[in-house]
Amino acid sequence: MAPETVREHSVVYAPRIQDLLARDAKVFRVDARTVGVSDARLMAEIVAARPVLQTERSVYKPAAGADIPHDSATRTIRALGQDVMAGIRTPPPPARGLNGAWPYAPTSYLRRWLFGSDPLPVSLLAKRGITRSDTLSRLVDRAVTTWPGGAGGNGNGDRNGNSPGTPTAMAGLIRGADDPLERKQAVAMYRRASATLCDGVAALAGNALWLMRTAPEPHQDLTTVLWETLRLLPPAWMLYRNGGDAYAGLHPEIRPEDNVALLPLLMHRHPDYWADPLEFRPQRWEAVADPEKTPGFMPFGFDGARCWAKHLVVPLAERLLTVALDHGLTIRGPRQDAPVPLRSLLSVRFEASVGS
């Protein structure tokens, strides 16, 4: 792994990511069946060439042997939005939950914050220890499928574990399912939506902390910090599209049998689109009314395939950062570099602790 220096500290990418970052061309062959693209114009043409397939959207891929109906997906998005807004308005769990390895610690912290009031076994769907095991996940899913539900809380506690709370809107979708298939799909959507949101927000907040390195200046706008983090270390660093005739002819390098990897990570760092592209400069966003309309910027995907939770990610990440900074969270240890492994989400790994 080779380090890349940003603000006198470095991130060390997995070899395959480092290889991509070393490419000069905006269109290049990644392997025998995949073409990488970081050219903004060609990306737009690829996006417009055909609708995104359901199988290319991990959250809405088929569940329980059937496609996820559009109205069911819409209900899930709305319910998740209600739960996040309710969570942001409630006091956060004790900040000591942010101690430890990032982004794992904040992932568990967010799941407890947002979904900890749900009855057992529903709340187990959002436990990181459960989701890491396929066997446990299947057992919990089956248990929730037969969960009788019922109105009100179950005495497990509110989002901080202090007193009885009200189940989330996401849990309500499971309880209110009309038939076995709908309930199975509601269980799958609860797991996917909670995991995707919490994992993505934890990765974004962790990347921002590493890039800031020190406490923000007085009156620092954390929103601009997060937009600049989405540019320099975007968790959604690659968007993968299955090949086909729709892409053939858009560029000489792309054949009908080739899959396409759209690479915002590379586009966000290209000098054709950005001044001082490797500099961490949150102030570049201060006068930008709508960051997503900035040329050469794709933090949440594109029309037709944008992150379904994009309107939740930045506010929740800002709330999480505020909690961390208010409690004096610091990156521990003498190391000046942190690894970025090859994962679906780009996230810096480090150890952190809150103040006494």
Side-chain angles (χ1 to χ4, degrees):
M1 298 187 187
E4 176 188 271
T5 301
V6 180
R7 293 192 68 176
E8 299 181 353
H9 61 287
S10 62
V11 290
V12 185
Y13 297 95
R16 288 189 64 184
I17 301 177
Q18 184 62 40
D19 176 68
L20 295 174
L21 291 169
R23 303 294 186 108
D24 292 327
K26 293 180 183 177
V27 183
F28 55 87
R29 186 156 294 278
V30 177
D31 56 42
R33 291 290 306 276
T34 307
V35 174
V37 178
S38 61
D39 178 83
R41 180 195 59 79
L42 181 57
M43 276 192 182
E45 292 180 353
I46 290 171
V47 167
R50 68 161 172 82
V52 177
L53 304 177
Q54 193 168 24
T55 54
E56 294 172 333
R57 303 190 68 180
S58 59
V59 176
Y60 297 135
K61 63 186 178 183
D67 290 341
I68 300 291
H70 183 269
D71 61 342
S72 176
T74 300
R75 286 196 299 271
T76 299
I77 295 171
R78 290 175 178 170
L80 184 64
Q82 293 175 31
D83 294 336
V84 170
M85 293 300 103
I88 288 176
R89 291 192 296 267
T90 62
R96 63 177 178 272
L98 296 174
N99 284 326
W102 279 57
Y104 306 118
T107 295
S108 297
Y109 184 88
L110 285 167
R111 294 184 185 197
R112 180 183 175 192
W113 191 355
L114 299 177
F115 305 105
S117 65
D118 282 338
L120 286 173
V122 177
S123 63
L124 295 178
L125 293 170
K127 298 293 186 183
R128 196 175 70 85
I130 300 294
T131 60
R132 293 177 66 187
S133 167
D134 290 340
T135 300
L136 287 176
S137 294
R138 287 193 294 270
L139 289 173
V140 171
D141 285 0
R142 284 199 292 269
V144 178
T145 299
T146 59
W147 168 57
N154 71 333
N156 284 343
D158 63 9
R159 287 179 168 84
N160 298 317
N162 297 320
S163 60
T166 301
T168 63
M170 292 276 286
L173 294 180
I174 300 173
R175 185 180 57 217
D178 293 330
D179 57 64
L181 176 60
E182 184 180 345
R183 173 165 281 211
K184 289 179 181 179
Q185 292 195 327
V187 168
M189 293 297 287
Y190 183 110
R191 180 185 296 286
R192 293 176 190 174
S194 61
T196 300
L197 177 71
C198 294
D199 290 353
V201 170
L204 175 58
N207 292 352
L209 279 172
W210 183 260
L211 289 172
M212 285 191 294
R213 194 57 176 171
T214 58
E217 299 176 0
H219 311 296
Q220 171 74 66
D221 185 352
L222 290 180
T223 301
T224 63
V225 168
L226 290 167
W227 284 114
E228 181 69 346
T229 300
L230 284 165
R231 184 190 69 83
L232 202 54
L233 289 175
W237 65 282
M238 180 184 72
L239 305 171
Y240 197 78
R241 293 293 170 260
N242 298 325
D245 292 337
Y247 300 147
L250 296 180
H251 190 277
E253 189 69 41
I254 303 176
R255 305 168 305 192
E257 64 270 24
D258 286 329
N259 299 314
V260 176
L262 305 180
L263 296 161
L265 176 65
L266 273 59
M267 182 174 66
H268 291 180
R269 295 156 172 260
H270 203 285
D272 282 359
Y273 310 121
W274 305 92
D276 302 318
L278 296 184
E279 291 292 322
F280 180 67
R281 291 170 46 194
Q283 62 269 25
R284 75 172 83 226
W285 300 101
E286 289 176 353
V288 179
D290 188 350
E292 288 192 85
K293 292 183 179 179
T294 302
F297 190 50
M298 189 185 287
F300 296 116
F302 47 82
D303 289 340
R306 290 195 186 279
C307 173
W308 43 269
K310 75 181 188 69
H311 62 293
L312 306 174
V313 170
V314 172
L316 185 56
E318 183 172 351
R319 185 79 167 93
L320 178 62
L321 275 180
T322 299
V323 172
L325 294 171
D326 284 351
H327 288 83
L329 185 138
T330 58
I331 297 173
R332 289 205 307 257
R335 295 179 58 191
Q336 297 298 306
D337 61 285
V340 177
L342 185 64
R343 296 287 189 275
S344 57
L345 289 177
L346 189 78
S347 56
V348 177
R349 266 55 169 171
F350 57 83
E351 295 283 330
S353 61
V354 297
S356 57

